[in-house]
Amino acid sequence: MTDRYAVFGHPIGHSKSPRIHALFATQTGQNLSYTAHDVPAENFDHALDAFFASGGKGINCTVPLKELAHGRADILSERAERAKAVNTLAVDEDGRLYGDNTDGVGLLRDLTVNLGLALQNRRILLLGAGGASRGILQPLLAEQPERLFVANRTVEKAIQLAGEFDDLGPVTGVGFDALSGRQFDLILNATAASLSGDLPPLPAGVLAPGGVCYDLAYGNQPTAFVRWGQEHGAARSVDGLGMLVEQAAEAFYLWRKLRPETGPVIALLDRERSLAA
Ligand code: NDP
């Protein structure tokens, strides 16, 4: 019988997750289906119950459902508990829902394995203090950066978030105006601004010579932040396609106990979007 998986979110129309999981399934010889469901927050409980009651095995949750998914899990991984957000749910043999957050490990694999970056003793700037930032702070701090600044439009959220993680390493929450006169080796954009063509207000000189820019958002065209990096002399300026594939691979591993090869999938999606652009 075909095992069923799905991604829930709103909006969901442009999700690449069904394509990624279909490629993983073909690569590893797994018999499964993976579909995208448009689920607004108010329908989440009902959609989740219906999916699992009809025999579904696991779901991914994206905006705006990760906090709600955290609330529905019977058991949480340590990283999901820290993040207070769940992007992967799996049902165990006793029918209990296990909640995990694979965003952080996905980002870290893309940064350290695919892009070959070393983060130890680096100065890191994380833009944004929403759900994505929550999921990635723990693994970023585990790499032992020299310092990590979280800068956000709503300053209180950056301070609050940094305070939740400062037992794990040197992390400080600030507003964008506190960035003047500082330099960073790696700037990660986890704001939702980029795709709509907006950019957080970044002071000139904030990117250190030889520094790297990484936008968690992705698209067929370079995002506004990727272009900002290119224009400000970044050694690399890349978007979050690699993270997307890596977090999916970690979810696939949780569900199927098999680790797909991500390199060929990232390369294929990258080629496809160049053709679409
Ligand atoms: P949230 O809605 O939880 O957070 C949005 C954040 O963006 C907040 O910090 C908000 O600031 C900030 N923001 C929104 N608009 C602007 C603006 N115009 N200027 C400055 N800051 C702004 O979103 P998520 O954290 O879930 O997602 C953030 C991004 O990360 C999205 O683009 C998403 O697609 C991407 N992502 C990519 C993944 C991948 O696998 N590649 C995985 C997860 C997320 P404020 O608090 O002031 O409102």
Side-chain angles (χ1 to χ4, degrees):
M1 203 167 80
T2 304
D3 287 339
R4 289 189 299 113
Y5 299 88
V7 58
F8 287 5
H10 181 73
I12 201 68
H14 293 101
S15 172
K16 291 186 193 288
S17 293
R19 174 104 174 96
I20 293 170
H21 282 277
L23 290 167
F24 287 165
T26 305
Q27 191 196 94
T28 56
Q30 295 288 292
N31 180 17
L32 59 86
S33 72
Y34 186 108
T35 46
H37 300 232
D38 195 325
V39 179
E42 60 273 22
N43 292 354
F44 179 64
D45 282 331
H46 175 70
L48 182 142
D49 290 336
F51 185 79
F52 285 114
S54 67
K57 298 284 184 198
I59 58 174
N60 285 133
C61 294
T62 184
V63 176
L65 306 174
K66 291 182 190 178
E67 284 78 15
L68 293 173
H70 172 266
R72 284 298 309 264
D74 301 309
I75 313 162
L76 288 166
S77 67
E78 196 245 321
R79 59 196 182 191
E81 203 167 335
R82 261 279 172 185
K84 297 198 182 104
V86 159
N87 77 337
T88 307
L89 285 164
V91 67
D92 72 10
E93 309 83 55
D94 302 324
R96 288 173 308 181
L97 278 184
Y98 178 75
D100 196 3
N101 188 317
T102 66
D103 282 340
V105 71
L107 173 69
L108 263 291
R109 266 199 207 124
D110 200 34
L111 290 174
T112 61
V113 180
N114 300 340
L115 301 173
L117 299 178
L119 305 185
Q120 191 171 25
N121 296 327
R122 297 289 196 261
R123 298 159 295 176
I124 301 177
L125 171 59
L126 173 60
L127 305 170
S133 292
R134 280 194 165 277
I136 64 180
L137 271 172
Q138 180 182 22
L140 280 174
L141 288 167
E143 296 292 309
Q144 300 182 309
E146 181 186 305
R147 175 142 289 287
L148 201 162
F149 272 63
V150 180
N152 197 46
R153 180 173 63 181
T154 313
V155 188
E156 300 73 38
K157 273 174 69 182
I159 295 170
Q160 157 79 25
L161 190 60
E164 285 181 41
F165 287 84
D166 63 4
D167 58 318
L168 300 179
V171 54
T172 311
V174 294
F176 294 120
D177 53 358
L179 299 175
S180 295
R182 295 190 181 276
Q183 279 204 321
F184 297 90
D185 306 298
L186 171 65
I187 306 181
L188 300 161
N189 181 31
T191 71
S194 200
L195 278 178
S196 55
D198 276 344
L199 270 183
L202 293 173
V206 70
L207 182 67
V212 171
C213 289
Y214 189 105
D215 199 340
L216 272 66
Y218 50 85
N220 287 341
Q221 307 282 348
T223 66
F225 182 68
V226 167
R227 289 200 307 275
W228 183 92
Q230 289 164 345
E231 286 156 14
H232 288 78
R236 306 283 297 269
S237 190
V238 295
D239 74 7
L241 181 68
M243 172 181 174
L244 180 76
V245 174
E246 294 294 347
Q247 63 77 29
E250 188 73 11
F252 192 89
Y253 178 72
L254 180 76
W255 292 329
R256 311 300 299 182
K257 303 292 172 261
L258 284 169
R259 205 171 276 289
E261 254 191 86
T262 50
V265 175
I266 296 172
L268 178 64
L269 294 180
D270 204 24
R271 273 202 308 280
E272 285 178 357
R273 68 178 175 171
S274 307
L275 294 173

